Amino acid sequence: MTDTLLQVKGLKTWFGDGDNPARAVDGIGFSIRRGETFALLGESGCGKSITALSLLRLNPHPASRIVAGEVLLNGQNLLPLSEAEMEKIRGRRVSMIFQEPQSSLNPVLSVGQQIAEVLNWHFNTDKQGTYERSIELLKSVGIPDPHQRIKEYPHQLSGGMKQRVMIAIALAGEPELLIADEPTTALDVTIQAQILDLLKDIQQKTGMAIMLITHDLGVVAQMADHVAVMYAGQIVETASRRQFFNDTQHPYTRKLFEALPSEQKREEKLTVIKGSVPPLNQPFNCCRFSDRCDFAWQHCHDVAPRWLESEGHGVRCHLYDPEVSAERVKPELAVTSSRLSEVVPADKALLKADRLKVHFPIKKGILQRVVGHVKAVDGISLDLRPAETLALVGESGCGKTTVGKGILQLVPVTSGEVSFRGKALTRLPERELKEVRSAMQIIFQDPFSSMNPRMTITQVIEEGMLTSSIKAPADRARKVDELLQRVGLRPDIKYRYPHEFSGGQRQRICIARALAAEPEVIICDEPTSALDVSVQAQILNLLRDIQHEFGLSYLFITHNIAVVDYLAHRVAVMYLGRVVEEGLRDEVLNSPKHPYTQALLSAVPKIDSETRQESVKLEGELPSPANPPKGCHFHQRCPHVMPICRETYPDLTQLSRSHTVKCYLYEDNYGSTDSN
Amino acid sequence: MPFLPVFLWTDILIFLLLAVVAAAVIYVRRRPHLRAPWKSVIQRRRGMISIMVLSCYVVIGLLDSLHYRPALENDGDSTSTHYATEVISVFDRIAQPLRQQVEKTYSAPFAHRLYVKEMQTAEDGALVYDYPRLKYGASHLDNPANKLEDITSTIVKATLLSLLLVIIVFILHCLFNRKRLGGSVVRQAARITRGESTYPLRTFYLMLFLITVTAVNLVMLSADYHVFGTDKVGQDVLYQALKSIRTGLVIGTLTTLVMLPLAIMMGIAAGYFRGWADDVIQYIYTTLNSIPGVLLIAAAVLILQVYMNNNPEQFETIAERADMRLLFLCIILGVTSWTGLCRILRAETLKLREAEYVLASRSLGASNFSILHKHILPNLMHLVLIAVVLDFSGLVLAEAVLSYVGVGVDPSMISWGNMINSARLEMARDPVVWWSLTAAFISMFILVLAANLFADVVRDAFDPRMQGAR
């Protein structure tokens, strides 16, 4: 096969020495053809990044070592090459881009210098040639005004720009293969859509192959020609995209699909994968997934499955092995008790925010004079009803987290009012505020920083009972046990410390702490965005269950539209400190009115991608909240911009009893005629 | 009563500190997340070595901190007992021979003669100008020519004795282990010698042997010789070097005791409350940092000196005077050295106050005080600990420098700084007197090296980035 660019055979990268090295990559093999996009899919910790690093022999040294295998690039094995020879390959024939554009650019070198470094290393060009080539590269990755940008430093660029520069640097060596390690995970959906389009575009022009490492099925659906699924250091399934999405075979892959939240699953619980990834520092002589598999029978626990391949669709599972007589185990179907439609929110406001503003002063100079304000939240009105989930959706930097903190009075509110059960919180003195506090709780995004590492789990949860009526230590201890059981943890873990738990378990403990305060409102600040899909499903199920059980109201802050679709009753879309559209979930997500909402929704990669609709692509990025554009904040990126949009901010337009939008398109005096 | 206990200020503070440390040990033992890093300190060989060396110093320092005035011989029929004006410590009592065997002037280590010639009458009545025999050093020898033999045999005896001691400890350890873990004594002995324990026991025994050999040798040799010679007034230099340990330890530990409350309170207040509190504290430490430290210390010490000279009635004994000056030096060193730690704590608090668990705690209605002591302070303690251990060796060295300049401890107090100060003249004379400086150097060097090694290990143990790397 001449069109095979990269072939990996039996690659093993182990961490640590001694009797039980961690087998992070344990004998994987795949091949990438010229010009195709190969996606390596898997949850965190399954070894995908180490695989990518091992291909270029960039795996951490001396912590890990490549034990066995072959990496054939055009038939040439890379593993026995000397370091000097590898330098000629890295960046020239295979280059790599990383997840975090922030940390992969050197902050003290200008963009031009960083591109020139690669060019000078691999090509003998003069200064003029280097400059011209750099400009050309910046143009090719869609950076406007490259002559200006080439002199700038990384901190002057936004996240999306940085990732474009990273791609430009990776392209500088004109590689045959680009390894992209979660290139869009740190970016917002609209920026993600831009970057993915850019990658596809470049691939068509240059014909290079892309190895895309991701955990996002949506990205796979949009980008990949071939997919490989990794689990616990092994590839468990490979297929072309069509096969992959139409005929999923391995139970793990199927579970991944089922765990994804979506509109169709609103009435049921999400499927979860029981247990967790087995520790990799042991030799396996069984199927690695057997403990978590619904279909597993005795044979799975005794014999490791072999690799089976038919018509380009490979799978590592006994179910498809003709030599193994499968005892088909009928999995028990999850009981669908958790119907969203069962709960009907009452029609009165429990929590109300009225023209809430949170401005952060920008101070400058020796005297710390205030020279301006970052208008993080700029006049937001929301109301949350009992037992309701209101989703607050927006890109990072639009101020949605600050809304949550402002409502809880955790940041000083500039103006406006927050009232809880008719009590105006903004005017309460600290002492009286404390009494209301326990009724409103918050769950944070990062389960690793939201617990004091020096407190035991009991102490963490008991902190939630500060204002509770339970005083006796024995009663408190009983309550802690109860709460731990409620969130699905064993009570005997309570004397352990947070670092001993996984992200999902920690998030459960945080939920238990919030519940300990017996709240009526919980503000969920992206509680699942740091978690894997299967763990996310567990947390979402839990959140929904406790909502039904305790009649909680959620203000669910997120950027993940699928989660909103699954969980929310109502949705508010935020853009640069203001709500631009608000309404019932069905109204906002299925017939979005504001151009920004439309763009946001179409930027989300769809899994059922056979029906690729024409999407609204957004240009540019979120403007700075310190200096918002005049008129409608969105007018610079809006495809339907009108002269009036550049002048004044639009008023609220009531589309139905529950659906409101702030856009001139729907105002009687200006809109409708232009819109279509 | 045969003695009158004297409580010097520094003694009280030292034992207070000891009580605090003991309480901390009990506290830490109950908490696995705090116990783990300490365990890893002991489990490392460097940690084991430095802890053993440091504890030798600490024991000597503590013995030297129990002061009393011995009763004088009751002459005749007076009913009340009188006490000596001289304050001595338990350590002085133990090292009585060392303290009291004073020669006339300089003598070299292991010498049997004085270092300066003197006019003396020979047995036949003739006047001879020669090096006279020492009053105590090697006085048990009839023929000084046998000195080398005598020393060698003492060393051999001492080494054998210490070997015996170590073996006794080893056997007791094995017996104890058998009771605790089961198995035969031989099995336990094999376990220790093969290094199968999680602790570096082989290092422990090697170090134990080295320490006992040194100690027993010093004890046995110093009975008959001046191991490090004598100084200008004929005092044993080994005794001086050992007495200096307390001074060094006091400076190194009490200063941190003064510094810590300031640094912790100011640092946390600045970082947590921000606003004007932050501004004021920042200005204070920026100002304090801009004043040259030595200048401030010199001024403060000189003021105290004048005060003490004007009010001699407040100090009963010379020891109390010297002690007051030592305490004052600790305080002034503490006041000038809290700024560094304060800065670090402020920065860390700034970070911690935005931590999500602090926000969560606030949203649960916790008060500022409970946030500070439950969330902020425990997460700062590792920094405090590292700073204290790192500062210790610096302060011991600072004492030497300050005493050398003349603004350190009281000249009557034995300290490494004073020893070095007097060695200044000795190095200039011919033939040179080198042993005073050498003794001060060796004893100080071992302490500071052990403290630095200890600081290193502690920092590694408490550094979250190092957790996996060990």
Side-chain angles (χ1 to χ4, degrees):
Chain A
M1 282 214 312
T2 46
D3 62 344
T4 303
L5 176 65
L6 182 85
Q7 192 165 20
V8 180
K9 289 181 191 162
L11 182 70
K12 291 186 181 186
T13 307
W14 291 1
F15 275 78
D17 298 314
D19 304 334
N20 290 316
R23 297 162 168 87
V25 177
D26 200 13
I28 68 166
F30 56 84
S31 58
I32 302 177
R33 282 198 291 265
R34 284 175 203 285
E36 80 166 358
T37 303
F38 179 85
L40 193 59
L41 179 81
E43 293 186 286
S44 58
C46 70
K48 11 182 232 307
S49 288
I50 295 297
T51 305
L53 291 171
S54 302
L55 296 186
L56 284 179
R57 300 230 320 264
L58 289 171
N59 53 313
H61 187 81
S64 66
R65 64 213 150 86
I66 297 172
V67 186
E70 277 179 19
V71 177
L72 302 168
L73 182 68
N74 277 337
Q76 181 191 15
N77 192 358
L78 299 185
L79 294 183
L81 291 187
S82 73
E83 200 55 23
E85 287 167 314
M86 272 315 283
E87 278 167 10
K88 300 239 162 18
I89 288 172
R90 292 180 195 140
R92 179 71 180 89
R93 296 179 62 193
V94 182
S95 37
M96 192 154 179
I97 52 177
F98 298 93
Q99 174 174 359
E100 194 61 68
Q102 213 82 354
S103 55
S104 34
L105 287 174
N106 186 342
V108 297
L109 294 180
S110 71
V111 168
Q113 282 170 310
Q114 302 197 36
I115 298 177
E117 196 187 353
V118 184
L119 291 174
N120 291 338
W121 181 252
H122 292 297
F123 306 100
N124 290 319
T125 42
D126 56 349
K127 221 173 166 191
Q128 187 60 29
T130 307
Y131 182 78
E132 277 164 13
R133 177 81 182 115
S134 302
I135 296 287
E136 202 181 300
L137 282 166
L138 286 179
K139 266 188 199 155
S140 73
V141 295
I143 288 184
D145 199 6
H147 291 279
Q148 177 60 35
R149 293 291 180 189
I150 199 165
K151 286 180 250 160
E152 289 186 359
Y153 288 86
H155 71 267
Q156 292 166 298
L157 306 173
S158 65
M161 282 293 188
K162 278 185 209 154
Q163 198 59 293
R164 282 170 194 266
V165 171
M166 271 310 294
I167 294 173
I169 293 173
L171 293 179
E174 296 162 5
E176 297 157 64
L177 174 66
L178 178 70
I179 301 177
D181 187 358
E182 308 249 7
T184 57
T185 308
L187 305 173
D188 282 313
V189 268
T190 56
I191 311 297
Q192 164 171 310
Q194 293 174 4
I195 296 290
L196 293 180
D197 277 354
L198 174 68
L199 284 177
K200 260 194 269 183
D201 207 35
I202 291 169
Q203 188 177 29
Q204 273 172 4
K205 279 185 198 148
T206 62
M208 72 177 175
I210 296 179
M211 177 175 166
L212 184 72
I213 294 168
T214 183
H215 66 274
D216 191 336
L217 282 166
V219 172
V220 173
Q222 207 177 345
M223 295 287 292
D225 301 314
H226 250 90
V227 187
V229 181
M230 257 189 109
Y231 179 78
Q234 278 188 330
I235 287 181
V236 293
E237 183 166 2
T238 61
S240 68
R241 184 178 69 214
R242 267 188 69 85
Q243 290 167 330
F244 185 71
F245 284 97
N246 297 332
D247 178 25
T248 316
Q249 293 197 335
H250 198 278
Y252 172 67
T253 323
R254 281 194 229 164
K255 283 277 189 186
L256 281 186
F257 276 102
E258 289 166 12
L260 277 182
S262 74
E263 189 186 358
Q264 292 77 34
K265 296 175 194 154
R266 274 173 77 80
E267 298 300 323
E268 57 198 66
K269 269 194 174 181
L270 292 173
T271 310
V272 300
I273 307 178
K274 61 191 177 194
S276 54
V277 183
L280 295 178
N281 57 353
Q282 52 176 2
F284 287 95
N285 42 18
C286 59
C287 172
R288 293 171 192 217
F289 191 59
S290 59
D291 285 340
R292 309 175 71 188
C293 185
D294 286 339
F295 301 97
W297 69 98
Q298 193 52 45
H299 192 65
C300 298
H301 296 290
D302 297 337
V303 182
R306 61 193 182 103
W307 181 246
L308 304 159
E309 196 158 340
S310 66
E311 298 166 22
H313 194 154
V315 67
R316 194 184 289 278
C317 183
H318 286 310
L319 282 176
Y320 303 95
D321 196 337
E323 291 170 21
V324 177
S325 57
E327 303 168 27
R328 299 265 166 172
V329 178
K330 272 269 178 262
E332 293 171 33
L333 286 172
V335 190
T336 54
S337 65
S338 179
R339 303 173 74 83
L340 194 60
S341 52
E342 275 174 6
V343 180
V344 183
D347 201 9
K348 60 175 190 220
L350 176 69
L351 178 77
K352 209 171 164 61
D354 190 24
R355 292 190 295 277
L356 181 73
K357 285 188 185 179
V358 181
H359 293 182
F360 296 111
I362 308 168
K363 291 177 180 172
K364 263 198 182 144
I366 309 170
L367 295 175
Q368 296 285 298
R369 252 199 312 222
V370 176
V371 293
H373 284 95
V374 175
K375 293 171 181 163
V377 177
D378 198 20
I380 274 199
S381 301
L382 289 172
D383 53 335
L384 185 62
R385 295 160 197 167
E388 176 191 57
T389 304
L390 171 63
L392 195 58
V393 185
E395 291 176 280
S396 59
C398 74
K400 46 189 199 306
T401 298
T402 316
V403 172
K405 289 183 184 170
I407 287 175
L408 289 174
Q409 310 295 310
L410 289 176
V411 288
V413 171
T414 312
S415 71
E417 201 163 85
V418 179
S419 56
F420 178 69
R421 284 206 239 136
K423 228 189 246 179
L425 300 182
T426 30
R427 289 198 297 260
L428 281 185
E430 186 68 26
R431 189 181 302 271
E432 287 175 50
L433 194 59
K434 254 176 213 165
E435 290 163 16
V436 194
R437 285 238 153 139
S438 65
M440 294 190 296
Q441 283 308 307
I442 184 161
I443 299 168
F444 293 99
Q445 170 178 6
D446 183 3
F448 289 88
S449 69
S450 51
M451 269 186 285
N452 187 342
R454 290 168 202 278
M455 282 164 93
T456 59
I457 301 307
T458 323
Q459 287 172 320
V460 167
I461 296 178
E462 273 187 5
E463 198 181 19
M465 296 183 221
L466 271 179
T467 50
S468 125
S469 54
I470 307 171
K471 292 282 180 240
D475 293 343
R476 288 197 166 201
R478 202 172 314 127
K479 177 89 178 172
V480 169
D481 289 0
E482 246 172 57
L483 286 167
L484 283 174
Q485 270 169 338
R486 183 63 205 87
V487 297
L489 294 169
R490 289 203 323 274
D492 55 341
I493 59 154
K494 63 182 173 177
Y495 297 115
R496 296 212 237 149
Y497 287 87
H499 70 263
E500 297 171 50
F501 298 96
S502 68
Q505 287 171 320
R506 281 163 180 242
Q507 206 58 294
R508 284 166 192 268
I509 296 165
C510 289
I511 292 173
R513 172 175 64 187
L515 286 180
E518 294 166 358
E520 290 169 55
V521 176
I522 296 184
I523 294 176
C524 306
D525 189 357
E526 311 228 15
T528 59
S529 65
L531 305 175
D532 279 321
V533 180
S534 63
V535 184
Q536 166 176 292
Q538 297 171 5
I539 299 295
L540 291 179
N541 281 342
L542 175 64
L543 282 174
R544 182 183 273 192
D545 285 351
I546 58 175
Q547 177 169 42
H548 291 189
E549 194 173 323
F550 299 98
L552 298 172
S553 312
Y554 290 147
L555 178 62
F556 204 93
I557 299 168
T558 185
H559 64 265
N560 188 338
I561 304 292
V563 172
V564 174
D565 226 344
Y566 174 71
L567 208 63
H569 297 94
R570 286 193 303 134
V571 181
V573 182
M574 249 183 111
Y575 187 76
L576 210 62
R578 295 188 182 171
V579 171
V580 294
E581 185 166 1
E582 188 187 346
L584 296 177
R585 179 200 61 86
D586 192 41
E587 292 168 336
V588 177
L589 296 189
N590 293 345
S591 56
K593 290 290 183 269
H594 197 282
Y596 174 66
T597 318
Q598 293 167 353
L600 190 68
L601 293 179
S602 72
V604 178
K606 301 283 187 305
I607 290 190
D608 37 356
S609 59
E610 298 305 319
T611 55
R612 282 195 188 180
Q613 82 261 41
E614 196 45 48
S615 58
V616 189
K617 292 285 183 229
L618 278 188
E619 291 302 314
E621 296 182 17
L622 199 70
S624 157
N627 188 17
K630 196 165 172 259
C632 176
H633 290 168
F634 189 57
H635 78 252
Q636 291 157 330
R637 304 170 75 188
C638 184
H640 308 290
V641 63
M642 294 179 287
I644 180 74
C645 301
R646 300 183 214 276
E647 297 304 318
T648 45
Y649 200 85
D651 284 328
L652 198 71
T653 311
Q654 197 86 31
L655 294 174
S656 74
R657 207 172 81 80
S658 50
H659 197 175
T660 56
V661 65
K662 279 181 188 164
C663 183
Y664 284 115
L665 290 175
Y666 306 100
E667 278 189 31
D668 294 338
N669 307 348
Y670 308 98
S672 357
T673 47
D674 308 52
S675 65
N676 279 314
Chain B
M1 216 158 60
F3 63 90
L4 177 74
V6 176
F7 298 105
L8 298 177
W9 274 106
T10 48
D11 293 347
I12 297 171
L13 290 174
I14 285 249
F15 282 101
L16 201 67
L17 192 68
L18 192 68
V20 171
V21 170
V25 168
I26 294 170
Y27 182 87
V28 164
R29 276 185 67 91
R30 293 214 198 113
R31 280 158 184 78
H33 70 287
L34 295 174
R35 207 168 53 201
W38 282 113
K39 207 171 156 184
S40 82
V41 167
I42 305 177
Q43 279 172 348
R44 297 186 74 188
R45 282 206 296 274
R46 269 189 298 161
M48 181 63 96
I49 294 171
S50 55
I51 286 176
M52 290 177 75
V53 174
L54 283 179
S55 39
C56 291
Y57 275 82
V58 169
V59 167
I60 294 176
L62 287 176
L63 287 177
D64 205 9
S65 297
L66 294 163
H67 287 99
Y68 65 98
R69 284 160 68 180
L72 291 174
E73 298 283 316
N74 204 339
D75 49 344
D77 49 7
S78 80
T79 47
S80 63
T81 28
H82 291 275
Y83 297 100
T85 51
E86 194 189 17
V87 177
I88 64 169
S89 69
V90 174
F91 175 75
D92 290 333
R93 183 68 196 80
I94 295 170
Q96 185 117 338
L98 275 184
R99 189 165 67 96
Q100 287 176 340
Q101 291 176 0
V102 179
E103 305 291 346
K104 214 179 238 167
T105 182
Y106 294 121
S107 70
F110 293 108
H112 61 283
R113 290 175 188 281
L114 225 48
Y115 203 55
V116 282
K117 284 185 179 173
E118 232 174 44
M119 234 9 146
Q120 49 188 330
T121 332
E123 277 167 25
D124 52 3
L127 278 178
V128 190
Y129 185 66
D130 198 8
Y131 300 104
R133 278 295 291 267
L134 291 177
K135 220 188 305 175
Y136 302 101
S139 56
H140 65 296
L141 294 178
D142 294 330
N143 183 6
N146 297 335
K147 195 169 71 178
L148 197 64
E149 244 167 64
D150 183 57
I151 293 174
T152 324
S153 74
T154 318
I155 288 180
V156 170
K157 263 188 264 171
T159 310
L160 288 177
L161 182 64
S162 46
L163 199 61
L164 189 71
L165 280 174
V166 171
I167 287 171
I168 289 173
V169 171
F170 180 74
I171 290 170
L172 285 177
H173 186 181
C174 291
L175 285 173
F176 175 74
N177 263 3
R178 190 185 64 151
K179 221 170 180 186
R180 205 168 52 108
L181 304 170
S184 67
V185 177
V186 182
R187 169 79 199 87
Q188 289 303 334
R191 186 171 160 271
I192 293 170
T193 44
R194 283 194 207 134
E196 287 169 20
S197 165
T198 47
Y199 295 97
L201 285 180
R202 281 187 292 189
T203 316
F204 172 79
Y205 277 104
L206 183 68
M207 212 47 216
L208 189 70
F209 177 68
L210 286 179
I211 289 173
T212 20
V213 162
T214 320
V216 174
N217 268 311
L218 282 179
V219 168
M220 289 179 72
L221 286 171
S222 64
D224 297 325
Y225 299 95
H226 297 293
V227 178
F228 276 114
T230 54
D231 72 347
K232 192 171 183 181
V233 291
Q235 214 174 25
D236 193 287
V237 173
L238 174 66
Y239 173 71
Q240 288 187 339
L242 292 176
K243 282 288 276 184
S244 302
I245 290 173
R246 174 175 185 270
T247 319
L249 288 181
V250 166
I251 296 266
T253 53
L254 288 195
T255 305
T256 45
L257 204 65
V258 175
M259 170 190 95
L260 278 188
L262 270 176
I264 292 178
M265 282 193 322
M266 298 275 213
I268 290 184
Y272 187 75
F273 294 108
R274 307 292 312 273
W276 63 266
D278 192 16
D279 290 344
V280 169
I281 291 168
Q282 277 194 68
Y283 280 120
I284 292 177
Y285 71 57
T286 315
T287 316
L288 209 57
N289 252 7
S290 321
I291 305 171
V294 179
L295 195 92
L296 205 64
I297 294 165
V301 168
L302 292 177
I303 290 168
L304 181 81
Q305 193 66 41
V306 171
Y307 174 83
M308 287 199 299
N309 288 344
N310 291 344
N311 303 283
E313 70 282 357
Q314 291 184 8
F315 307 98
E316 259 185 64
T317 56
I318 304 172
E320 277 176 44
R321 266 184 72 121
D323 182 68
M324 185 46 80
R325 183 155 162 179
L326 177 64
L327 181 62
F328 202 73
L329 189 68
C330 289
I331 293 173
I332 192 70
L333 272 173
V335 168
T336 50
S337 64
W338 60 274
T339 51
L341 181 59
C342 183
R343 252 176 231 263
I344 297 172
L345 293 183
R346 174 180 170 270
E348 187 69 12
T349 312
L350 278 179
K351 203 175 83 192
L352 286 177
R353 76 193 286 270
E354 303 297 334
E356 286 177 345
Y357 52 85
V358 173
L359 283 183
S361 186
R362 276 171 67 198
S363 77
L364 287 162
S367 63
N368 279 337
F369 176 75
S370 93
I371 289 176
L372 284 179
H373 101 233
K374 259 168 118 175
H375 295 298
I376 307 273
L377 195 58
N379 283 300
L380 291 175
M381 279 328 270
H382 67 288
L383 289 178
V384 173
L385 188 83
I386 291 166
V388 166
V389 180
L390 277 178
D391 278 359
F392 173 79
S393 51
L395 287 165
V396 172
L397 295 176
E399 185 273 331
V401 172
L402 289 174
S403 300
Y404 178 78
V405 176
V407 293
V409 295
D410 196 83
S412 71
M413 181 165 252
I414 302 169
S415 80
W416 288 312
N418 281 338
M419 282 171 79
I420 295 169
N421 192 16
S422 56
R424 190 169 43 153
L425 296 172
E426 293 162 2
M427 298 298 282
R429 89 191 265 291
D430 189 48
V432 73
V433 174
W434 50 268
W435 47 88
S436 215
L437 191 71
T438 312
F441 173 78
I442 289 177
S443 52
M444 197 157 74
F445 172 77
I446 294 175
L447 174 64
V448 171
L449 181 67
N452 280 341
L453 283 178
F454 184 62
D456 219 31
V457 180
V458 167
R459 193 178 45 203
D460 284 357
F462 282 85
D463 187 346
R465 279 166 302 181
M466 295 289 292
Q467 297 289 321
R470 268 194 304 279

